[in-house]
Amino acid sequence: MFLELDAIRKSFGAGETKVDVLKGIDFNLEKGEFCVLLGPSGSGKSTLLNIIGGIDSADSGSISINGDKMSEMNEKKLTLYRRKHLGYIFQRYNLIPNLTVRENIEVGEYLSDNPLDVDELIELLGLHKHRNKYPNQMSGGQQQRCAIGRAIVKNPDILLCDEPTGALDSKTSVEILKLIETVNKTYNSTIIMVTHNDAIKDMANRVIKLKDGTIRKNYVNENILSAEELEL
């Protein structure tokens, strides 16, 4: 098993203000699986994604990625691990404003020992004619494409997506989801996507539904749709 989560718990606050956000999360993913985490606001989706990504730490439980336990890594090893093995795509694009598209993607390239070819990736992203533009010269969808490029140029084992289409219209959302679909198939990246949009679950291999910090459903999708077939 590539990714294993065992009894992950997380709370915030203390005493009377303590809130249990995750209450013992268990699930496993194989390499190359596309997993969608669904649930209402406050269900623990983004907290769980941040813990998997090493941005936050669990109060208890363990996460193992390809046999390496994150709890056994010191801060330096964890930083190195995040840099080498994890890619992040957020709702906010977080591009560097005074760098071009190509330069923003190259930032991710420098972090990897085994990066993808930047020119090939820019073609895949449909950004070739925009490669010398700055973020403020591009649409939201183009900026998100650039952010995806920066995340995947590292050739990460796991791509973590937190509401990547949350700020986009439905047409642009489909374009971004098609791109993520292509990345999954082309590079065999394991993808974990947090979303409020119930329709997106239909393009995933695995669907995990969270509510009140617990997993209510965890199932394999038997009838996968392409991004183009989704009704967003």
Side-chain angles (χ1 to χ4, degrees), residues 69-100:
K69 284 197 171 183
M70 293 178 72
S71 59
E72 295 174 359
M73 299 179 192
N74 59 29
E75 192 57 42
K76 186 176 180 181
K77 282 186 178 178
L78 190 59
T79 299
L80 194 63
Y81 193 86
R82 283 197 299 259
R83 184 181 295 174
K84 285 189 171 185
H85 299 288
L86 299 171
Y88 304 88
I89 303 170
F90 302 101
Q91 185 172 333
R92 293 172 182 249
Y93 319 123
N94 296 325
L95 298 176
I96 300 170
N98 60 340
L99 296 183
T100 64

Side-chain angles (χ1 to χ4, degrees), residues 150-182:
R150 182 183 55 194
I152 65 175
V153 73
K154 295 196 303 180
N155 200 10
D157 296 318
I158 300 178
L159 193 59
L160 302 170
C161 310
D162 195 355
E163 298 280 4
T165 61
L168 305 173
D169 61 59
S170 58
K171 181 176 179 292
T172 309
S173 294
V174 169
E175 291 174 2
I176 294 302
L177 291 171
K178 281 169 63 177
L179 186 56
I180 292 171
E181 182 179 61
T182 301

Side-chain angles (χ1 to χ4, degrees), residues 58-216:
D59 296 336
S60 61
S62 66
I63 296 178
S64 176
I65 302 176
N66 208 19
D68 295 325
K69 284 197 171 183
M70 293 178 72
S71 59
E72 295 174 359
M73 299 179 192
N74 59 29
E75 192 57 42
K76 186 176 180 181
K77 282 186 178 178
L78 190 59
T79 299
L80 194 63
Y81 193 86
R82 283 197 299 259
R83 184 181 295 174
K84 285 189 171 185
H85 299 288
L86 299 171
Y88 304 88
I89 303 170
F90 302 101
Q91 185 172 333
R92 293 172 182 249
Y93 319 123
N94 296 325
L95 298 176
I96 300 170
N98 60 340
L99 296 183
T100 64
V101 164
R102 184 185 178 85
E103 290 165 343
N104 264 286
I105 292 173
E106 284 174 340
V107 167
E109 181 191 20
Y110 300 144
L111 298 175
S112 175
D113 295 334
N114 184 34
L116 302 177
D117 183 278
V118 173
D119 291 312
E120 286 181 14
L121 185 55
I122 286 173
E123 285 286 350
L124 177 74
L125 294 164
L127 289 173
H128 180 72
K129 67 181 180 182
H130 305 292
R131 65 192 183 281
N132 295 318
K133 289 183 179 179
Y134 294 96
N136 67 359
Q137 297 173 309
M138 297 190 297
S139 68
Q142 290 164 348
Q143 289 184 66
Q144 188 62 296
R145 284 172 179 269
C146 184
I148 290 170
R150 182 183 55 194
I152 65 175
V153 73
K154 295 196 303 180
N155 200 10
D157 296 318
I158 300 178
L159 193 59
L160 302 170
C161 310
D162 195 355
E163 298 280 4
T165 61
L168 305 173
D169 61 59
S170 58
K171 181 176 179 292
T172 309
S173 294
V174 169
E175 291 174 2
I176 294 302
L177 291 171
K178 281 169 63 177
L179 186 56
I180 292 171
E181 182 179 61
T182 301
V183 167
N184 176 240
K185 291 175 180 174
T186 304
Y187 304 116
N188 199 36
S189 304
T190 304
I191 294 176
I192 304 175
M193 182 185 295
V194 160
T195 181
H196 281 107
N197 193 326
D198 191 70
I200 293 175
K201 74 179 188 305
D202 294 330
M203 67 179 285
N205 303 97
R206 180 172 296 278
V207 180
I208 296 175
K209 292 191 174 185
L210 296 174
K211 188 175 181 182
D212 299 328
T214 62
I215 292 177
R216 298 299 174 92

